[in-house]
Amino acid sequence: MDKISIIVPCYNEQESLPLFYEEFNRATASMKDEVEFELIFVDDGSKDATMEEVYKLKNLDSRVFYVSFSRNFGKEAAIYAGLKSATGDYVALMDADLQDPPALLPEMYSYVKNGEYDSVATRRVTRKGEPPIRSFFARMFYKIMNNISQTDMVDGARDYRLMSRKFVDALLDMSEYNRFSKGLFGWVGFKTKWLEFENVERIAGETKWSFWGLFRYSLEGIVAFSTFPLTISSFFGIIGFILSVLFMTYIVIKRLILGDPVAGWASTVTIVLMIGSIQLLCIGILGMYLSKTYLETKKRPIYIVSKTNIDD
Ligand code: UDP
Ligand code: MG
């Protein structure tokens, strides 16, 4: 009998957890004779009663496991901890808020069980219920990313996916500190089946992502999966050099023909300002990569566990 580990990152999900558990059981009832489940709740330093809810579920159900972090390390860290703890032949990642419908699991399993695919990923085809400005920036992010990075990233892709052991081991081999799962999934390759579904709104509680949080996250994604921004400065340099040669020729010829009337203060200041700001921009980009390199070289742990019932 195959075993599927379900990883659920939870940050302040006290309202969603009981609903999640109920829906999960309903959705997987038809798979009972075929597969065995293991539910791993990764508590990402929740400040509410999330852990109490997890203990309740654990007392009800011996398939429930938990890893509780010492503080909030972010969803990426929670995913990594879950992948490390999972013992199943297949592993699925799923949000606690039921935005990743467990009802898709039987279909997902049908694609991986005979080895036809190594992972089944999901993508929402609508962004219904999301602020339009957020959708706009999200679309732009995927457009830019797919142009400047060799790694494929699919617009609307969720982290919800079912993976084979091979796929999970490949993910675990990447122990980088700056983790951007959407990129890592694409980077490891393997044969992936995409399933589409309509956007579902969160069942309870509220989203943990602010607009700026998402913006920072997207910058991290770019830094982690593309070095294109680093070449921008060379590009500016070449353009600037060509322009300055043209400009110099023009000034010399003008001087020979017209003499040397003192003028052009405004244009000088504009040019100085422009070159100065381009230099700052390029140093800033360098700084972004340097700071990530700095964090990687420290080799700090990706998360710290305070309580767990795994290995008991
Ligand atoms: N999450 C987490 N750590 C965080 C933020 C979120 O583990 O710092 C979990 C959260 O509990 C949920 C999932 O990640 O299970 C997705 O979060 P959310 O629903 O807030 O994001 P959205 O669906 O709005 O993108
Ligand atoms: Mg959500």
Side-chain angles (χ1 to χ4, degrees):
M1 203 148 95
D2 277 337
K3 181 168 171 187
I4 302 184
S5 307
I6 309 282
I7 300 171
V8 189
C10 311
Y11 179 50
N12 296 343
E13 299 285 5
Q14 58 177 20
E15 294 97 357
S16 321
L17 276 189
L19 302 169
F20 171 84
Y21 181 73
E22 209 176 294
E23 174 61 25
F24 173 79
N25 279 335
R26 192 172 21 231
T28 54
S30 65
M31 301 168 82
K32 260 213 308 279
D33 312 317
E34 226 181 337
V35 283
E36 178 191 345
F37 282 102
E38 160 185 81
L39 279 161
I40 303 177
F41 293 98
V42 185
D43 163 44
D44 186 11
S46 298
K47 291 178 190 73
D48 65 357
T50 298
M51 272 320 282
E52 276 80 68
E53 293 297 331
V54 172
Y55 291 140
K56 269 188 224 162
L57 295 181
K58 187 184 122 356
N59 290 335
L60 274 175
D61 190 332
S62 61
R63 303 172 304 169
V64 170
F65 295 89
Y66 61 84
V67 179
S68 180
F69 288 175
S70 61
R71 65 167 170 86
N72 182 244
F73 281 89
K75 186 182 174 187
E76 293 291 345
I79 292 177
Y80 185 64
L83 290 176
K84 269 180 94 167
S85 315
T87 59
D89 307 297
Y90 300 96
V91 179
L93 280 175
M94 213 184 273
D95 283 2
D97 58 5
L98 289 179
Q99 278 190 297
D100 299 332
L104 288 176
L105 270 176
E107 190 187 348
M108 290 166 96
Y109 178 63
S110 74
Y111 287 107
V112 291
K113 70 175 169 195
N114 41 29
E116 193 186 347
Y117 291 95
D118 286 294
S119 90
V120 183
T122 58
R123 127 172 219 270
R124 45 183 187 165
V125 280
T126 52
R127 287 179 173 273
K128 172 175 63 101
E130 192 183 60
I133 177 117
R134 183 174 288 199
S135 308
F136 171 76
F137 277 102
R139 290 224 169 81
M140 226 168 61
F141 169 74
Y142 285 105
K143 269 222 179 79
I144 295 176
M145 219 36 208
N146 283 320
N147 279 315
I148 65 174
S149 168
Q150 274 79 39
T151 308
D152 255 358
M153 280 179 219
V154 178
D155 189 1
R158 297 200 48 93
D159 291 336
Y160 183 26
R161 54 168 78 212
L162 181 63
M163 301 164 274
S164 68
R165 187 43 43 200
K166 234 186 339 188
F167 195 96
V168 173
D169 288 343
L171 284 178
L172 287 174
D173 271 342
M174 286 181 287
S175 55
E176 59 207 73
Y177 185 78
N178 182 30
R179 301 188 75 76
F180 188 72
S181 285
K182 286 184 171 41
L184 297 178
F185 293 148
W187 195 90
V188 296
F190 293 115
K191 214 168 156 210
T192 299
K193 167 85 188 164
W194 285 91
L195 297 184
E196 297 184 339
F197 69 97
E198 295 271 321
N199 193 31
V200 189
E201 294 202 35
R202 169 178 261 288
I203 186 103
E206 48 197 60
T207 173
K208 314 300 179 296
W209 290 99
S210 65
F211 182 76
W212 283 111
L214 275 177
F215 185 73
R216 278 208 311 273
Y217 184 60
S218 66
L219 286 186
E220 278 185 20
I222 293 177
V223 173
F225 279 93
S226 167
T227 49
F228 177 78
L230 283 175
T231 53
I232 283 179
S233 36
S234 325
F235 174 74
F236 283 145
I238 291 167
I239 299 282
F241 178 70
I242 295 172
L243 284 180
S244 63
V245 169
L246 292 178
F247 197 51
M248 224 157 59
T249 321
Y250 166 74
I251 289 174
V252 168
I253 293 172
K254 202 173 150 210
R255 163 79 174 76
L256 291 175
I257 296 171
L258 297 177
D260 187 30
V262 178
W265 183 83
S267 59
T268 311
V269 170
T270 328
I271 291 167
V272 169
L273 276 179
M274 195 179 116
I275 297 198
S277 52
I278 289 178
Q279 281 177 336
L280 278 182
L281 172 75
C282 295
I283 295 175
I285 292 174
L286 263 181
M288 268 168 38
Y289 283 86
L290 184 66
S291 66
K292 292 296 171 202
T293 314
Y294 173 60
L295 289 175
E296 291 290 346
T297 53
K298 287 200 217 183
K299 294 226 181 315
R300 286 194 177 157
I302 294 170
Y303 59 88
I304 294 171
V305 175
S306 83
K307 276 176 287 190
T308 177
N309 68 338
I310 295 174
D311 286 335
D312 270 359

